[in-house]
C-alpha cells in the first residue's frame, strides 16, 4: 500500500481508539493521533523508495541492506514483543499513550499490507512465508478506492467528534 492509504489507516485506528477512551484530554488525543500517524508509515522505513524511506535516506538504505523489505520491519510478532517491552518500561501516562498510538499505527500498517498481493510474513522470524488475504495491488485503482473510503470514514468520525454530525454510534461518548 502507498503512504496515503497507510496514513489514513493509522488515523482511522487512532480516531476510533480515541472515541473508545472516553473523556481524553486534548493533549492526549494529539499525542495518540501523532503516534498513530508516525506508526502508520514507520514499517516502510525498510524500503528506500517509500515515503518515509526517501525522508530517512541513509538510515532506510542501511535497514534495507540489513533487514530486507517486508521482513523484520513488517513482522507482527516482533512488534508484539517490542510493544510489551516498551509498555513495561514507562510509567508516564502521556508517554504510554504515545507508545500505544505508535503501535496502533504500526498495527494498521501490517493489516493493510496483509491485504496486498505481496502479503506479510505473519510468523517472521519463525517462518518467512508471507500471507495475503485480499490480493490488492499497490497503487492500483482498488487501492485508490480503499484509500478514498478511509478518508471518508475519517472525515465523518472527525465531524462526529466535533458534534457537527451524528453518524457513527461509537463516537457518541
Ligand atoms: Zn509496508
Amino acid at each position: 500500500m502507498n503512504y496515503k492509504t497507510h496514513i489514513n489507516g493509522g488515523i482511522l485506528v487512532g480516531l476510533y481508539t480515541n472515541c473508545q477512551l472516553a473523556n481524553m484530554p486534548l493533549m492526549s488525543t494529539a499525542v495518540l493521533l501523532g503516534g498513530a500517524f508516525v506508526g502508520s508509515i514507520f514499517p516502510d522505513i525498510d524500503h528506500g523508495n517509500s515515503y518515509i524511506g526517501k525522508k530517512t535516506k541513509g538510515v532506510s538504505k542501511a535497514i534495507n541492506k540489513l533487514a530486507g523489505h517486508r521482513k523484520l520491519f513488517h513482522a507482527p510478532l516482533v512488534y508484539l514483543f517490542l510493544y510489551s517491552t516498551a509498555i513495561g518500561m514507562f510509567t508516564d501516562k502521556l508517554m504510554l499513550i504515545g507508545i500505544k498510538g505508535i503501535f496502533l499505527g504500526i498495527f494498521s500498517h501490517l493489516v493493510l499490507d496483509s491485504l496486498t498481493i505481496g502479503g506479510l510474513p505473519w510468523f517472521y522470524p519463525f517462518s518467512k512465508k508471507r500471507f495475503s488475504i485480499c490480493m490488492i495491488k499497490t497503487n492500483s485503482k482498488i487501492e485508490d478506492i480503499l484509500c478514498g473510503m478511509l478518508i471518508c470514514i475519517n472525515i465523518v468520525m472527525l465531524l462526529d467528534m466535533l458534534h457537527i454530525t451524528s453518524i457513527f454510534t461509537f463516537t457518541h461518548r
Side-chain angles (χ1 to χ4, degrees), residues 139-150:
N139 290 324
S140 64
K141 270 265 158 326
I142 304 273
E143 176 172 2
D144 287 345
I145 294 169
L146 176 67
C147 185
M149 280 162 53
L150 292 175

Side-chain angles (χ1 to χ4, degrees), residues 17 22 33 35 42 54 56 59-60 64 70 83 94 99 114 118 123 130 151 157 160-161 168 173:
T17 308
L33 287 178
F42 174 76
K54 281 178 186 157
T56 52
V59 180
S60 173
N64 185 272
R70 283 205 189 180
Y83 175 71
L94 208 56
I99 291 171
S114 293
F123 302 109
R130 288 183 185 180
I151 292 172
M157 255 198 278
D160 268 11
M161 284 164 71
F168 293 132
R173 278 169 189 266

Side-chain angles (χ1 to χ4, degrees), residues 72-84:
L72 189 67
F73 282 72
H74 279 75
L77 295 179
V78 172
Y79 286 117
L80 206 64
F81 172 74
L82 289 177
Y83 175 71
S84 350

Side-chain angles (χ1 to χ4, degrees), residues 1 6 40-41 43-44 46 69-70 73-74 109-110 113 120:
M1 298 280 178
H6 280 310
S40 72
I41 47 173
D44 282 343
D46 67 7
H69 179 48
R70 283 205 189 180
F73 282 72
H74 279 75
H109 185 111
L110 301 182
D113 273 358
L120 204 85

Side-chain angles (χ1 to χ4, degrees), residues 12-33 36 83 87 93-102 104 157 161 163 169-173:
L12 186 143
V13 182
L15 286 176
Y16 180 78
T17 308
N18 187 70
C19 292
Q20 297 308 307
L21 306 167
N23 300 322
M24 282 256 284
L26 196 61
M27 186 65 185
S28 304
T29 300
V31 170
L32 180 77
L33 287 178
Y83 175 71
I87 279 293
K93 222 177 156 191
L94 208 56
M95 189 75 171
L96 288 172
I97 288 176
I99 291 171
K100 280 181 187 162
I102 290 173
L104 277 171
M157 255 198 278
M161 284 164 71
H163 304 290
T169 48
F170 62 81
T171 54
H172 301 176
R173 278 169 189 266

